[in-house]
Amino acid sequence: MDTYKCNYHMHSYYSDGVLSPAELAKKFCDEEYDVISLTDHDGIEGVKEFLESCEGLGIRGVAGIEFDTKLENEGVEYELHILGYGFDPDNEELNSVCSRLKEIRHERNERLFAALNQMGFGLDLEEMEERSKGGYVGKPDIARELVRKGLLSEPREAFTEKVFERPEIRSIRKEKLSSREAIRLISEAGGTAFLAHPAKIREIRGERGSEEFFEELEGIIVALKKLGLKGMECIYPINTEEEKFRFIQLAGKYHLHISSGTDFHGDGM
């Protein structure tokens, strides 16, 4: 049976990564991957460059995206990331929605930067947007900027109560698509929708890895399956061997495809 080295989850500087789509294609080609997908957050600006680079290098590239979404299920609102693969990057509605999400992110960033500057960080959103090669500014970019300014020793520190986990920052949220809408968009553009990194779903009430956790996750999968979900990212860097086994088991139970991704950003984040 043929086996393939795959990475279906990575980010370029069109979202919160540091490499260009072409640089990503070259990196993973050099590492002898067989199939790779660029899955930038809420946007597909880098997809065509990525696919053309993959073709030139002789590696199979797959059009991808990662939507930030919300799902209401059993009285709980979950923040879920939905990955889409193999869609038409020229799909008119998909491009229109991505343009709207870009505007929403900018509006959220204006509120976020105002709050961060009240905390004394002295950040300039306009300057960061101009400096960004892809025009995107997200939390990982802010974390890198805080390190560059000497306010943190490493980007990961920003994702603690020092910065982003503070209540006044966590309360600043951007408008998200519903999971239903994201899955519909992906499907109608000719693609396939997957649930990203299930171990990172924060709203699940059970402790990660517990039976309560897996029972609640199963309820989420059932709800998403009804909306058209076709797969789940079962192999992911933070997953334990037990979690990988249980995720693959759940995928099999609900006839979902299994994917593997590293969520590569380019700087260990």
Side-chain angles (χ1 to χ4, degrees):
M1 183 172 66
D2 292 336
T3 58
Y4 298 94
K5 189 176 180 181
C6 306
N7 189 342
Y8 283 96
H9 195 161
M10 63 184 71
H11 299 277
S12 76
Y13 59 42
Y14 285 105
S15 66
D16 50 1
V18 299
L19 301 180
S20 71
E23 287 169 335
L24 284 170
K26 178 68 164 56
K27 170 183 169 56
F28 286 93
C29 180
D30 289 346
E31 294 179 10
E32 299 185 336
Y33 277 78
D34 299 293
V35 187
I36 55 176
S37 180
L38 175 63
T39 54
D40 280 330
H41 290 287
D42 295 332
I44 55 175
E45 293 166 288
V47 165
K48 287 185 178 180
E49 177 188 337
F50 178 77
L51 295 179
E52 289 170 2
S53 298
C54 287
E55 184 176 3
L57 292 164
I59 184 173
R60 184 185 170 196
V62 177
I65 191 169
E66 183 175 13
F67 281 120
D68 298 349
T69 79
K70 59 185 179 181
L71 173 74
E72 294 272 359
N73 191 52
E74 301 293 332
V76 179
E77 182 175 288
Y78 298 96
E79 293 188 9
L80 306 178
H81 286 201
I82 300 296
L83 293 158
Y85 300 117
F87 51 80
D88 175 8
D90 289 319
N91 180 269
E92 186 175 339
E93 186 180 11
L94 181 60
N95 278 275
S96 175
V97 170
C98 288
S99 294
R100 178 167 62 85
L101 292 174
K102 187 175 182 178
E103 293 173 2
I104 289 170
R105 182 175 294 278
H106 177 77
E107 292 168 0
R108 189 284 304 266
N109 278 345
E110 289 181 325
R111 292 181 283 118
L112 181 60
F113 273 64
L116 289 168
N117 288 337
Q118 281 188 339
M119 293 163 57
F121 287 114
L123 298 167
D124 188 324
L125 174 58
E126 184 176 346
E127 179 190 336
M128 285 186 64
E129 287 179 333
E130 289 176 355
R131 205 173 346 120
S132 169
K133 293 178 181 178
Y136 178 103
V137 175
K139 286 184 176 178
D141 302 293
I142 297 169
R144 296 182 195 108
E145 180 70 2
L146 293 174
V147 173
R148 190 184 73 83
K149 291 168 71 70
L151 299 172
L152 297 176
S153 59
E154 62 175 357
R156 290 183 185 275
E157 284 185 64
F159 294 88
T160 68
E161 291 185 355
K162 287 186 176 181
V163 187
F164 297 136
E165 287 301 304
R166 291 178 64 157
E168 63 266 43
I169 300 302
R170 286 195 65 190
S171 66
I172 300 171
R173 299 185 178 185
K174 68 181 178 68
E175 179 185 339
K176 293 179 173 66
L177 291 179
S178 69
S179 300
R180 176 189 296 274
E181 180 69 357
I183 292 170
R184 183 193 67 79
L185 277 169
I186 292 164
S187 300
E188 292 187 1
T192 305
F194 279 60
L195 174 63
H197 43 60
K200 293 178 70 174
I201 302 173
R202 296 175 62 165
E203 297 79 15
I204 293 182
R205 289 156 290 190
E207 182 180 351
R208 181 180 145 194
S210 67
E211 287 304 314
E212 185 181 1
F213 174 92
F214 285 110
E215 286 173 11
E216 193 163 339
L217 174 62
E218 185 166 2
I220 293 169
I221 291 169
V222 169
L224 292 173
K225 175 81 174 179
K226 291 176 181 177
L227 300 178
L229 188 79
K230 299 297 184 184
M232 183 163 65
E233 188 175 47
C234 297
I235 302 169
Y236 187 80
I238 68 167
N239 294 352
T240 65
E241 290 302 313
E242 173 65 17
E243 285 169 340
K244 289 178 190 176
F245 174 78
R246 295 292 296 270
F247 294 149
I248 290 170
Q249 192 176 50
L250 275 172
K253 181 176 180 179
Y254 292 99
H255 306 287
L256 297 174
H257 298 293
I258 293 163
S259 71
S260 170
T262 64
D263 208 353
F264 180 81
H265 288 75
D267 56 0
M269 292 180 64

